[in-house]
């Protein structure tokens, strides 16, 4: 975030410099042209940065990690987002490190990453039951049986079209 602030200020100075040169070349330009150019450049950079964050971040994910959901959101402090909502967080799953238990076919353990624009990244190990349409977050401290099964009370039902379940079960 600090790098983006420095980039926005540098872009503001650059735009102010261009506007100052334009004012010298065209004396009829009003005096507010220089600060207006700086402000517009910084606001434009901020909006560009917000709207391209998801594409730039998801493009850097290593092979084997697939985005499962990226909901677009609107907020009142970004009135333009009601016209064009933007992605400020997304969820990805590491399919390359998926683990299966031979004794329990249809169950897959994966690492799920929750990545937010202005927040910490979280890594949550999740156990998915592809046939039973359920999930159990291992971070909650599950009780495993001797065969690797999970107690029935630790499972949560999910819709068959849940993006995480659909992505993981498609590959298994």
């Amino acid at each position: 975030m600090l790098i983006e602030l420095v980039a926005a200020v540098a872009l503001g100075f650059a735009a102010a410099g261009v506007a100052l040169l334009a004012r010298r070349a065209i004396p009829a330009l009003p005096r507010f042209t220089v600060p207006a150019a700086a402000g517009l450049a910084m606001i434009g950079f901020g909006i560009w940065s917000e709207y391209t964050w998801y594409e730039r971040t998801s493009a850097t994910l290593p092979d084997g990690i697939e985005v499962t959901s990226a909901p677009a959101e609107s907020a009142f402090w970004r009135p333009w987002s009601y016209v064009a909502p933007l992605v400020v967080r997304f969820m990805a799953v590491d399919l390359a490190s998926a683990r299966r238990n031979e004794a329990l076919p249809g169950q897959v353990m994966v690492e799920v990453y929750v990545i937010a624009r202005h927040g910490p990244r979280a890594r949550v190990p999740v156990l998915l039951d592809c046939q039973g349409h359920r999930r159990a977050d291992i971070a909650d401290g599950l009780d495993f049986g001797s065969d690797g099964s999970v107690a029935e009370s630790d499972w949560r039902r999910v819709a068959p079209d849940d993006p995480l379940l659909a992505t993981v079960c498609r590959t298994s």
Side-chain angles (χ1 to χ4, degrees):
M1 193 163 161
L2 179 64
I3 293 172
E4 287 183 14
L5 178 65
V6 170
V9 170
L11 185 61
F13 274 112
V18 170
L20 187 62
L21 290 173
R23 262 198 88 225
R24 295 222 190 253
I26 308 167
L29 287 175
R31 293 180 62 187
F32 67 82
T33 302
V34 175
L40 287 173
M42 291 191 294
I43 289 170
F45 174 77
I47 293 170
W48 171 85
S49 180
E50 288 285 323
Y51 274 96
T52 61
W53 169 81
Y54 167 67
E55 288 81 15
R56 291 181 289 126
T57 304
S58 62
T60 63
L61 294 174
D63 291 337
I65 296 182
E66 187 174 324
V67 175
T68 58
S69 67
E73 300 177 358
S74 300
F76 72 91
W77 61 86
R78 288 187 218 111
W80 55 86
S81 67
Y82 288 101
V83 175
L86 64 141
V87 176
V88 294
R89 62 186 160 77
F90 66 93
M91 186 167 66
V93 62
D94 187 358
L95 296 173
S97 67
R99 293 171 281 183
R100 292 167 179 77
N101 185 344
E102 298 295 328
L104 300 165
Q107 292 186 7
V108 183
M109 186 183 301
V110 293
E111 296 284 332
V112 175
Y113 298 94
V114 180
I115 303 169
R117 169 90 169 109
H118 297 293
R121 294 179 179 200
R123 186 180 74 175
V124 181
V126 174
L127 182 62
L128 295 163
D129 182 0
C130 295
Q131 294 151 347
H133 305 295
R134 343 177 260 179
R135 78 179 259 181
D137 295 341
I138 297 174
D140 294 339
L142 296 179
D143 295 322
F144 286 97
S146 59
D147 63 346
S149 63
V150 175
E152 195 62 36
S153 62
D154 292 331
W155 289 101
R156 286 186 293 162
R157 290 262 171 230
V158 295
D161 61 345
D162 177 71
L164 177 62
L165 187 73
T167 302
V168 171
C169 294
R170 170 179 41 96
T171 61
S172 58

